[in-house]
Amino acid sequence: MTLWNGSYPFYPGPNACFPFDTTQSVIVTIFLSMLVTFVIILPGIRGRGRLFWFLRLVLGLFMGAVVLTVQFTRDWETGWVQANTSYKSFSPVQVNVDIGLHIGLAGVNITLRGNPVNQINETINYNEHFPWNFGADYDRSYSEGLKKGLPSPILYVAEKFSTQSPCAVHRQYRIAGHYVSFTLWLAFCTWLTSILLFSMSILLYGGHMLLLTATLILFSLLFFFTARNTPKCPIQFGPVSLRTDYGESFWLTLATGLLCLLLGLSIVILNSVHPEKLKFIFSLDKSSEKEVWDKSRLPDEPSCSAQDVLIVPLGELCQVTATQL
C-alpha cells in the first residue's frame, strides 16, 4: 500500500462519462409523440388514402427530426485508435487505451477508455467536451482541462484544435460549424413551410419548398466538407495514428437531403405530367370519395306519365276556421 494509493495527489479522481444529451432526447421524444398521436387517428381514415397519409406522415416527421437533431449531435466526424501511451504527465507508466475523437458543429468530444477499464488502480473512462460555439471559449476549456489534470492523451488531442496550435484547424472547423448550423436552421424553416403548404393543398409550391430544403441541406454538407478536407497535423500515438472519417450525422444528413430532393422533384414532375395522380396521393381527388349508389337495391319507384293527374279535395288541403265577430 503506497501513499495516496499509488496516484498523484494533484490529480482528481476519474471524470464521469459524458451524460446523454438531453436535447437530442427531447427532440426525439417530441417527434415520436407526434407520430404516435397521428397513428392513433389513422383508423379513422378510409380507403387507400390511409396508406398514403401514413407515408406522408412518417417521411415528413423523419425529415424534420433529422434536420433538427443533427444540430446537436457530436459525431459529424469520428475516429478511434487503440494505443499504448502514457497516462499522466511526467510519469513513465504506460496504459492500453482506446482513444476516440468526435467532431460536431459546436465542438469536439474526446473519449479515453482503458483496455481493461481498471488499470493502475484507476478507472480509465473519460469523455470530455471542448466547445467552440457562440459564447464558448475553446482555449479556456482547454486551460481548465490542464488545471483539472486530465490524462495526457485527452490533452494531446485537444491541443491540436486550440487556437495556438500550429495545425491551424480551429478556425476552419469553428466557422464551418457556424455556417452548417445556420444553413440547417434555414432548412428546418423551409421544411415547416412545406408542411404548411401541403396541409393547405398547395402542392406545387410545397414541392418547391422541399427542393429548397434539399438545397440548403446539401450546401450545409458542402461547408463541412471544405473544413474537413483542410490539411491537418497527424495525431500520433507511438506507431499508430488517430484518423477520422465522416460520422453517422453526416451520412444521415446526406440521406435526408437526397430524400427531400427526390420527393420535391417527384411532386413537381407529377404536378405537370399527372396532376390527378398527385391529387390522389394527397387525398384531394374528390371523385374517388363519391359514393356510387346501386339502384337495384333501392325500392321500385312508381311509374308516372305526364297524363297522370292527382286530384285532392280542397277540404283535405286546407282547413279554415272562421270566427264570427
Side-chain angles (χ1 to χ4, degrees), residues 35 37-43 45 48-59 281-283:
L35 178 61
T37 302
F38 285 113
V39 167
I40 291 175
I41 66 175
L42 186 63
I45 301 175
R48 290 181 295 176
R50 179 187 305 172
L51 176 61
F52 291 110
W53 188 86
F54 181 73
L55 290 176
R56 296 197 309 268
L57 172 66
V58 172
L59 291 176
I281 292 174
F282 282 86
S283 303

Short mmCIF file of all heavy atoms in Angstrom, two decimals, residues 35 37-43 45 48-59 281-283:
data_model
loop_
_atom_site.label_atom_id
_atom_site.label_comp_id
_atom_site.label_asym_id
_atom_site.label_seq_id
_atom_site.Cartn_x
_atom_site.Cartn_y
_atom_site.Cartn_z
N LEU A 35 -45.83 11.31 -33.78
CA LEU A 35 -46.10 10.14 -34.63
C LEU A 35 -47.14 9.23 -34.00
O LEU A 35 -48.08 8.77 -34.66
CB LEU A 35 -44.81 9.38 -34.87
CG LEU A 35 -44.91 8.09 -35.70
CD1 LEU A 35 -45.44 8.40 -37.10
CD2 LEU A 35 -43.56 7.39 -35.78
N THR A 37 -49.42 10.03 -31.83
CA THR A 37 -50.72 10.72 -31.83
C THR A 37 -51.42 10.58 -33.16
O THR A 37 -52.63 10.30 -33.22
CB THR A 37 -50.52 12.20 -31.49
OG1 THR A 37 -49.87 12.32 -30.22
CG2 THR A 37 -51.86 12.92 -31.44
N PHE A 38 -50.68 10.76 -34.26
CA PHE A 38 -51.31 10.64 -35.57
C PHE A 38 -51.63 9.19 -35.92
O PHE A 38 -52.59 8.93 -36.65
CB PHE A 38 -50.39 11.25 -36.64
CG PHE A 38 -50.38 12.75 -36.62
CD1 PHE A 38 -49.25 13.45 -36.25
CD2 PHE A 38 -51.52 13.46 -36.98
CE1 PHE A 38 -49.24 14.83 -36.24
CE2 PHE A 38 -51.52 14.85 -36.97
CZ PHE A 38 -50.38 15.54 -36.60
N VAL A 39 -50.83 8.25 -35.44
CA VAL A 39 -51.13 6.84 -35.70
C VAL A 39 -52.43 6.42 -35.02
O VAL A 39 -53.18 5.58 -35.52
CB VAL A 39 -49.95 5.96 -35.25
CG1 VAL A 39 -50.34 4.49 -35.22
CG2 VAL A 39 -48.76 6.16 -36.18
N ILE A 40 -52.71 7.02 -33.87
CA ILE A 40 -53.94 6.68 -33.15
C ILE A 40 -55.18 7.03 -33.98
O ILE A 40 -56.17 6.29 -33.98
CB ILE A 40 -53.97 7.39 -31.78
CG1 ILE A 40 -52.90 6.79 -30.87
CG2 ILE A 40 -55.34 7.28 -31.13
CD1 ILE A 40 -52.77 7.51 -29.54
N ILE A 41 -55.11 8.15 -34.70
CA ILE A 41 -56.26 8.56 -35.51
C ILE A 41 -56.22 7.97 -36.90
O ILE A 41 -57.10 8.25 -37.72
CB ILE A 41 -56.35 10.10 -35.61
CG1 ILE A 41 -55.14 10.65 -36.39
CG2 ILE A 41 -56.42 10.72 -34.24
CD1 ILE A 41 -55.21 12.14 -36.63
N LEU A 42 -55.21 7.14 -37.19
CA LEU A 42 -55.10 6.55 -38.52
C LEU A 42 -56.29 5.69 -38.90
O LEU A 42 -56.74 5.72 -40.06
CB LEU A 42 -53.80 5.74 -38.61
CG LEU A 42 -53.43 5.15 -39.97
CD1 LEU A 42 -53.21 6.27 -40.98
CD2 LEU A 42 -52.19 4.29 -39.86
N PRO A 43 -56.88 4.88 -37.98
CA PRO A 43 -58.04 4.07 -38.39
C PRO A 43 -59.24 4.88 -38.83
O PRO A 43 -60.14 4.33 -39.49
CB PRO A 43 -58.36 3.27 -37.11
CG PRO A 43 -57.08 3.20 -36.36
CD PRO A 43 -56.42 4.51 -36.63
N ILE A 45 -59.27 7.10 -41.08
CA ILE A 45 -59.14 7.43 -42.50
C ILE A 45 -59.54 6.21 -43.31
O ILE A 45 -59.04 5.12 -43.11
CB ILE A 45 -57.70 7.86 -42.82
CG1 ILE A 45 -57.32 9.07 -41.97
CG2 ILE A 45 -57.56 8.19 -44.30
CD1 ILE A 45 -55.88 9.50 -42.14
N ARG A 48 -57.82 3.59 -49.54
CA ARG A 48 -56.39 3.55 -49.80
C ARG A 48 -55.68 4.83 -49.38
O ARG A 48 -54.45 4.84 -49.31
CB ARG A 48 -56.14 3.28 -51.29
CG ARG A 48 -56.51 1.86 -51.72
CD ARG A 48 -56.22 1.67 -53.19
NE ARG A 48 -57.08 2.52 -54.03
CZ ARG A 48 -56.97 2.58 -55.35
NH1 ARG A 48 -56.06 1.84 -55.97
NH2 ARG A 48 -57.78 3.37 -56.04
N GLY A 49 -56.41 5.89 -49.13
CA GLY A 49 -55.78 7.12 -48.69
C GLY A 49 -55.10 6.99 -47.35
O GLY A 49 -54.23 7.78 -47.01
N ARG A 50 -55.47 5.96 -46.58
CA ARG A 50 -54.84 5.73 -45.28
C ARG A 50 -53.35 5.45 -45.44
O ARG A 50 -52.51 5.96 -44.69
CB ARG A 50 -55.53 4.59 -44.57
CG ARG A 50 -54.94 4.24 -43.23
CD ARG A 50 -55.58 2.97 -42.67
NE ARG A 50 -57.03 3.10 -42.61
CZ ARG A 50 -57.85 2.09 -42.31
NH1 ARG A 50 -57.34 0.89 -42.05
NH2 ARG A 50 -59.15 2.28 -42.26
N LEU A 51 -52.98 4.62 -46.43
CA LEU A 51 -51.58 4.26 -46.63
C LEU A 51 -50.76 5.47 -47.06
O LEU A 51 -49.67 5.72 -46.52
CB LEU A 51 -51.47 3.16 -47.68
CG LEU A 51 -50.06 2.74 -48.09
CD1 LEU A 51 -49.29 2.20 -46.89
CD2 LEU A 51 -50.10 1.72 -49.22
N PHE A 52 -51.27 6.24 -48.03
CA PHE A 52 -50.54 7.42 -48.48
C PHE A 52 -50.42 8.46 -47.37
O PHE A 52 -49.39 9.12 -47.23
CB PHE A 52 -51.23 8.03 -49.71
CG PHE A 52 -51.13 7.18 -50.93
CD1 PHE A 52 -52.25 6.54 -51.44
CD2 PHE A 52 -49.93 6.99 -51.57
CE1 PHE A 52 -52.17 5.75 -52.57
CE2 PHE A 52 -49.83 6.20 -52.71
CZ PHE A 52 -50.96 5.58 -53.21
N TRP A 53 -51.46 8.60 -46.58
CA TRP A 53 -51.42 9.55 -45.46
C TRP A 53 -50.36 9.13 -44.45
O TRP A 53 -49.61 9.96 -43.92
CB TRP A 53 -52.79 9.61 -44.80
CG TRP A 53 -52.92 10.68 -43.76
CD1 TRP A 53 -53.25 11.99 -43.97
CD2 TRP A 53 -52.74 10.53 -42.35
NE1 TRP A 53 -53.27 12.67 -42.77
CE2 TRP A 53 -52.96 11.80 -41.76
CE3 TRP A 53 -52.39 9.46 -41.53
CZ2 TRP A 53 -52.87 12.00 -40.40
CZ3 TRP A 53 -52.28 9.66 -40.16
CH2 TRP A 53 -52.51 10.92 -39.61
N PHE A 54 -50.25 7.84 -44.17
CA PHE A 54 -49.25 7.34 -43.22
C PHE A 54 -47.84 7.55 -43.76
O PHE A 54 -46.92 7.94 -43.02
CB PHE A 54 -49.51 5.86 -42.94
CG PHE A 54 -48.54 5.27 -41.96
CD1 PHE A 54 -48.61 5.58 -40.60
CD2 PHE A 54 -47.54 4.40 -42.38
CE1 PHE A 54 -47.72 5.03 -39.70
CE2 PHE A 54 -46.65 3.85 -41.49
CZ PHE A 54 -46.73 4.17 -40.14
N LEU A 55 -47.63 7.30 -45.05
CA LEU A 55 -46.31 7.50 -45.64
C LEU A 55 -45.90 8.97 -45.60
O LEU A 55 -44.75 9.30 -45.29
CB LEU A 55 -46.29 6.98 -47.08
CG LEU A 55 -46.37 5.46 -47.25
CD1 LEU A 55 -46.43 5.10 -48.72
CD2 LEU A 55 -45.19 4.78 -46.58
N ARG A 56 -46.85 9.87 -45.91
CA ARG A 56 -46.54 11.29 -45.84
C ARG A 56 -46.19 11.71 -44.42
O ARG A 56 -45.27 12.51 -44.19
CB ARG A 56 -47.74 12.11 -46.35
CG ARG A 56 -48.09 11.89 -47.80
CD ARG A 56 -48.97 13.01 -48.33
NE ARG A 56 -50.11 13.27 -47.46
CZ ARG A 56 -51.30 12.70 -47.61
NH1 ARG A 56 -51.48 11.82 -48.59
NH2 ARG A 56 -52.30 12.98 -46.81
N LEU A 57 -46.90 11.15 -43.46
CA LEU A 57 -46.65 11.48 -42.05
C LEU A 57 -45.26 11.03 -41.62
O LEU A 57 -44.49 11.80 -41.03
CB LEU A 57 -47.72 10.81 -41.19
CG LEU A 57 -47.51 10.89 -39.66
CD1 LEU A 57 -47.62 12.32 -39.19
CD2 LEU A 57 -48.50 9.99 -38.95
N VAL A 58 -44.89 9.78 -41.93
CA VAL A 58 -43.60 9.24 -41.50
C VAL A 58 -42.44 9.99 -42.17
O VAL A 58 -41.47 10.38 -41.51
CB VAL A 58 -43.53 7.74 -41.80
CG1 VAL A 58 -42.14 7.20 -41.53
CG2 VAL A 58 -44.55 6.99 -40.94
N LEU A 59 -42.56 10.21 -43.48
CA LEU A 59 -41.48 10.89 -44.19
C LEU A 59 -41.33 12.34 -43.72
O LEU A 59 -40.21 12.83 -43.54
CB LEU A 59 -41.74 10.85 -45.70
CG LEU A 59 -41.64 9.48 -46.36
CD1 LEU A 59 -42.01 9.56 -47.83
CD2 LEU A 59 -40.24 8.90 -46.20
N ILE A 281 -52.66 10.94 -54.41
CA ILE A 281 -51.69 10.64 -53.36
C ILE A 281 -51.95 11.51 -52.13
O ILE A 281 -51.82 11.05 -50.98
CB ILE A 281 -50.26 10.82 -53.88
CG1 ILE A 281 -49.95 9.76 -54.93
CG2 ILE A 281 -49.25 10.75 -52.75
CD1 ILE A 281 -48.61 9.94 -55.60
N PHE A 282 -52.32 12.75 -52.35
CA PHE A 282 -52.58 13.67 -51.24
C PHE A 282 -54.05 13.70 -50.84
O PHE A 282 -54.49 14.62 -50.16
CB PHE A 282 -52.12 15.08 -51.61
CG PHE A 282 -50.64 15.27 -51.50
CD1 PHE A 282 -49.80 14.96 -52.56
CD2 PHE A 282 -50.07 15.76 -50.33
CE1 PHE A 282 -48.43 15.13 -52.46
CE2 PHE A 282 -48.71 15.93 -50.22
CZ PHE A 282 -47.88 15.61 -51.29
N SER A 283 -54.81 12.71 -51.31
CA SER A 283 -56.23 12.54 -50.93
C SER A 283 -57.06 13.77 -51.28
O SER A 283 -57.91 14.20 -50.51
CB SER A 283 -56.35 12.24 -49.42
OG SER A 283 -55.60 11.09 -49.09
#
